[in-house]
Amino acid sequence: MHDCPLPCLADHAPPKEAFGGWLSADRAPLPAANDEEGERLSSSLPEVIDAHVHLFPDPVFVALWRWFDQYGWPIRYKLMARDVVHFLLSRGVSRIVALHYAHKPGMARALNQFMAGLCQEEPRILGLATVLPGEPGAKEILAEAFGMGLRGVKLHCHVQCFSPDEESLHDVYEACVRANRPLVVHAGREPKSPAYKCDPYVLCSAERVERVLAEYPGLKLCVPHLGADEFDAYERMLERYDNLWLDTTMAMAEYFTGPAPLRLLHCRPERVLYGSDFPNVPYAWDREIKRLAALGMREEALAALVGGNAKRLYGSE
């Protein structure tokens, strides 16, 4: 994995409808925000669990940051995995949900072992597994990962170049249902960047995700970034499907132009999780949580959004 040229800005880019555009060759890289950061979370907040944090081995992080420097934005916190964990936990985050993904066959086992080792060192990490859809032994890879204590699975349509309703995904969905493990999958269409090896507008759509929700009612499926950019469709699906969850990651940070999709926070407040995308952000680590806290939500709704819903999804009560 040391030669990984990971093209993974897809986890970190602006949706068209909400933010007025996406990354393109003539816009990248975007500027740093240079906003002020807090020393730690406010004591007035309820328990905060960051449900979208990336942890990779050092060489993968380095490759990812090279990609960001060219096509994305300046990463404010170029911290390696253990430093990421220490940074967030020392600033008042209660637990973190740690995500990663493999972009080529043969990487997943090593990545999962790396994640399981971090979880053994620090029990406040809720680590997820990964696998490349369609790679040989995918079911066995996930069974091993679950046996090591990993709490779910992370997939990424843009980086791994698959559609949510492809036949190659059935083994993954069945494994998650059988083990009662959640699946986090970046299935939103945005961003559409010439730097990708595949076209996310061809691969992704809310309609494709809905097929999965209907076919696998026992699958707990979480779509990051509030499903950018098909917010209307995801609002409708939240109302209809009890197995759909969303996370807020970067969608509520007010870094991109245009209004944030506030209505998704109120549609089914028990189905939305706070996530930061740390460390790969171009602004202060606490920017998004501050904006969520300033919305004036009812106390119980805010507590669910920033921590309680993650507890329920990942069985960490």
Side-chain angles (χ1 to χ4, degrees):
M1 75 183 72
H2 287 235
D3 61 347
C4 167
L6 213 72
C8 42
L9 187 64
D11 242 5
H12 317 278
K16 182 176 70 171
E17 288 181 6
F19 306 126
W22 55 83
L23 287 175
S24 60
D26 61 347
R27 295 185 69 224
L30 297 176
N34 297 319
D35 51 341
E36 184 178 354
E37 66 175 41
E39 293 184 4
R40 59 180 295 112
L41 292 175
S42 170
S43 59
S44 65
L45 282 169
E47 180 184 9
V48 173
I49 297 174
D50 190 335
H52 198 119
V53 175
H54 289 291
L55 298 182
F56 288 101
D58 294 1
V60 181
F61 259 143
V62 170
L64 186 153
W65 295 331
R66 277 200 305 268
W67 198 95
F68 267 90
D69 288 342
Q70 183 173 359
Y71 301 111
W73 48 70
I75 300 300
R76 183 156 168 173
Y77 302 93
K78 289 187 175 179
L79 302 174
M80 297 308 179
R82 289 173 178 83
D83 295 325
V84 168
V85 174
H86 174 74
F87 185 100
L88 292 176
L89 295 181
S90 68
R91 284 161 174 78
V93 175
S94 171
R95 277 172 276 189
I96 65 173
V97 178
L99 313 176
H100 59 170
Y101 35 83
H103 74 289
K104 62 183 180 181
M107 286 185 69
R109 275 195 168 95
L111 289 174
N112 293 338
Q113 290 166 359
F114 173 78
M115 183 69 78
L118 293 176
C119 295
Q120 289 175 356
E121 295 175 15
E122 175 49 76
R124 289 174 290 180
I125 302 173
L126 307 176
L128 272 58
T130 193
V131 70
L132 186 69
E135 73 174 303
K139 288 192 292 187
E140 291 75 18
I141 290 170
L142 290 182
E144 292 170 7
F146 297 155
M148 292 187 290
L150 297 184
R151 299 294 194 100
V153 177
K154 171 66 188 293
L155 300 178
H156 202 311
C157 294
H158 300 206
V159 174
Q160 298 175 309
C161 289
F162 67 87
S163 296
D165 57 349
E166 282 183 13
E167 185 175 349
S168 62
L169 273 292
H170 292 313
D171 283 349
V172 177
Y173 297 149
E174 290 170 359
C176 288
V177 172
R178 185 164 52 250
N180 192 29
R181 298 293 204 282
L183 172 66
V184 179
V185 55
H186 185 118
R189 300 186 305 180
E190 290 296 343
K192 181 179 174 66
S193 168
Y196 291 131
K197 295 180 179 179
C198 49
D199 185 344
Y201 268 57
V202 173
L203 294 176
C204 301
S205 71
E207 180 181 2
R208 290 179 179 271
V209 172
E210 185 165 14
R211 291 178 192 143
V212 177
L213 294 168
E215 186 172 354
Y216 292 92
L219 175 67
K220 293 183 282 190
L221 178 63
C222 181
V223 177
H225 316 289
L226 296 178
D229 66 332
E230 297 178 282
F231 300 123
D232 290 340
Y234 276 97
E235 182 177 16
R236 176 181 58 79
M237 290 194 298
L238 268 183
E239 293 171 345
R240 181 173 181 183
Y241 294 97
D242 288 335
N243 53 336
L244 175 63
W245 306 67
L246 303 176
D247 81 31
T248 67
T249 301
M250 291 196 82
M252 302 302 299
E254 298 179 353
Y255 171 69
F256 307 106
T257 59
L262 288 171
R263 65 187 186 275
L264 283 172
L265 303 184
H266 303 290
C267 172
R268 291 191 68 179
E270 79 281 7
R271 293 289 171 176
V272 183
L273 292 66
Y274 159 69
S276 70
D277 232 348
F278 196 81
N280 299 319
V281 293
Y283 46 68
W285 68 277
D286 53 350
R287 180 186 181 102
E288 189 163 25
I289 193 71
K290 285 179 178 177
R291 281 157 174 74
L292 291 171
L295 292 175
M297 301 175 68
R298 291 180 293 107
E299 183 178 350
E300 58 270 27
L302 180 63
L305 173 65
V306 303
N309 293 339
K311 283 184 177 181
R312 292 193 299 110
L313 180 58
Y314 292 103
S316 57
E317 297 283 0

